[in-house]
């Protein structure tokens, strides 16, 4: 209990800093003017025996200081301002939260290294099927499935049979429009262009015939 301490006559006053080296945090009590180290308390776990809060105040704590030669002592420290005591708590909590995160990341990395590795290689005789849009598979392995070009009116134009004969032995009907052979004039009146009507010959003497005298 902080009430049992001589709060009106502290044995020492100065500044407190928290530093970290690896996973260990160090509470350092230093002279507020010269910065000389008065005592330090290594903290390997929080909450833990190295730092404990008192039961009757949120501004006072008991810390375990060490001199580096194996000697330890428990002393009581307190803060005049309640906000400084809050920052003291938060600094220790943030440090050990970071320590837990690093430990978890290291454990996950070790599990990945020790676990079975995924083999993405093809086994002997293994095949893969790809389904690509707008691609038609050839039927029977021969011939092309490309559609024939459509003629006028949307009808497909079939190539003429060999020898100029149809499959039934009948000759195809001649086209309705006669074709022009090289060097042969077209005499069909349906294909003749309309000729312009001949202009009537002008009577060049008419004006003189009408003139009197």
């Amino acid at each position: 209990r902080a009430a049992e301490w001589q709060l009106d006559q502290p044995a020492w006053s100065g500044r407190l800093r928290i530093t970290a080296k690896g996973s260990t945090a160090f509470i350092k009590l230093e002279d507020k003017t010269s910065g000389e180290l008065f005592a330090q308390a290594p903290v390997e776990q929080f909450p833990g025996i190295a730092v404990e809060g008192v039961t009757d105040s949120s501004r006072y704590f008991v810390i375990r200081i060490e001199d580096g030669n194996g000697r330890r002592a428990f002393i009581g420290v307190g803060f005049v301002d309640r906000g400084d005591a809050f920052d003291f708590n938060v600094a220790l909590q943030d440090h050990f939260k970071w320590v837990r995160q690093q430990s978890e990341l290291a454990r996950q990395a070790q599990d990945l290294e020790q676990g079975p590795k995924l083999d993405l290689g093809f086994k002997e005789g293994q095949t893969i099927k790809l389904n690509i849009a707008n691609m038609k598979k050839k039927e029977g392995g021969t011939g092309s499935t490309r559609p024939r070009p459509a003629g006028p009116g949307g009808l497909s134009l079939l190539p003429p049979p060999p020898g100029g004969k149809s499959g039934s032995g009948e000759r195809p009907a001649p086209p309705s429009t006669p074709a022009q052979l090289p060097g042969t004039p077209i005499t069909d009146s349906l294909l003749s262009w309309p000729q312009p009507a001949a202009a009537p010959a002008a009577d060049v003497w008419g004006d003189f015939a009408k003139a009197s005298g």
Side-chain angles (χ1 to χ4, degrees):
R1 291 176 55 88
E4 299 174 357
W5 302 345
Q6 298 177 0
L7 301 180
D8 54 342
Q9 296 178 353
W12 179 88
S13 62
R15 71 183 183 190
L16 183 148
R17 289 196 308 130
I18 297 178
T19 62
K21 183 178 181 181
S23 61
T24 304
F26 293 89
I27 302 175
K28 295 186 176 183
L29 304 177
E30 301 174 343
D31 185 271
K32 59 183 177 182
T33 303
S34 64
E36 182 181 359
L37 181 64
F38 171 75
Q40 70 175 2
V43 184
E44 297 179 354
Q45 184 179 357
F46 182 79
I49 194 173
V51 180
E52 293 182 285
V54 298
T55 59
D56 58 343
S57 176
S58 61
R59 296 186 293 118
Y60 292 88
F61 303 87
V62 176
I63 65 174
R64 185 182 64 185
I65 60 175
E66 298 181 7
D67 63 354
N69 296 322
R71 293 185 300 179
R72 299 175 178 177
F74 290 90
I75 64 173
V77 296
F79 298 91
V80 176
D81 183 61
R82 194 176 302 274
D84 293 336
F86 176 79
D87 293 342
F88 174 76
N89 259 315
V90 170
L92 290 173
Q93 291 174 1
D94 288 348
H95 170 73
F96 286 99
K97 180 180 179 181
W98 173 82
V99 171
R100 288 191 297 269
Q101 290 176 347
Q102 295 300 312
S103 178
E104 181 66 19
L105 292 176
R107 186 186 63 81
Q108 292 178 0
Q110 185 177 5
D111 292 344
L112 290 177
E113 292 178 358
Q114 295 179 354
K117 295 184 179 180
L118 185 61
D119 185 10
L120 298 179
F122 283 98
K123 305 297 187 296
E124 183 177 358
Q126 186 178 3
T127 59
I128 187 172
K129 182 179 180 182
L130 297 178
N131 186 12
I132 303 177
N134 300 327
M135 178 178 289
K136 295 182 179 180
K137 183 179 179 182
K138 294 184 179 180
E139 299 179 358
T142 59
S144 175
T145 58
R146 284 176 25 182
R148 300 180 183 276
L155 299 178
S156 299
L157 299 179
L158 299 177
K165 296 182 179 181
S166 62
S168 62
E170 297 179 356
R171 296 178 60 84
S176 60
T177 303
Q180 180 180 3
L181 300 178
T184 304
I186 297 177
T187 58
D188 198 326
S189 61
L190 295 177
L191 296 180
S192 60
W193 292 94
Q195 301 296 331
D203 189 1
V204 295
W205 300 103
D207 294 337
F208 291 98
K210 293 177 181 179
S212 58

